[in-house]
Amino acid sequence: MRHFLLMSTSGCHLCDEAIEIIVTALDPAQHSVDEVDIADEDALVELYGVRIPVLLDEASGAELGWPFDRAGLLAFIGGLS
């Protein structure tokens, strides 16, 4: 199973859009995603504050930044090794 982190924060409408794309595009038997509220950690705010939402592949460290659509998400996942 491939595990991802979605860097986001509460009240972020773009993050809500990203969540909807992720939920409808990914197979939960093959992929898991945990949402991380960057507001809880200063280092994450500094790193992701102006870039959220960002989907981070924990295994490789690869990031998919917004904007992305279903096709872009699937292409990103397909390109992971």
Side-chain angles (χ1 to χ4, degrees):
M1 177 172 290
R2 196 98 194 193
H3 186 71
F4 299 91
L5 299 175
L6 179 65
M7 302 304 177
S8 68
T9 197
S10 63
C12 170
H13 72 282
L14 297 176
C15 299
D16 294 339
E17 290 181 37
I19 290 167
E20 186 166 331
I21 292 167
I22 290 166
V23 167
T24 59
L26 297 186
D27 179 356
Q30 295 179 3
H31 309 100
S32 66
V33 180
D34 287 325
E35 190 174 359
V36 176
D37 190 335
I38 65 166
D40 294 337
E41 206 171 310
D42 289 343
L44 293 178
V45 170
E46 188 173 321
L47 188 59
Y48 294 107
V50 297
R51 301 190 306 136
I52 59 172
V54 174
L55 187 66
L56 170 67
D57 174 46
E58 280 198 316
S60 69
E63 296 179 347
L64 176 63
W66 190 258
F68 57 85
D69 57 11
R70 185 180 198 282
L73 172 61
L74 294 175
F76 169 73
I77 291 172
L80 297 172
S81 51

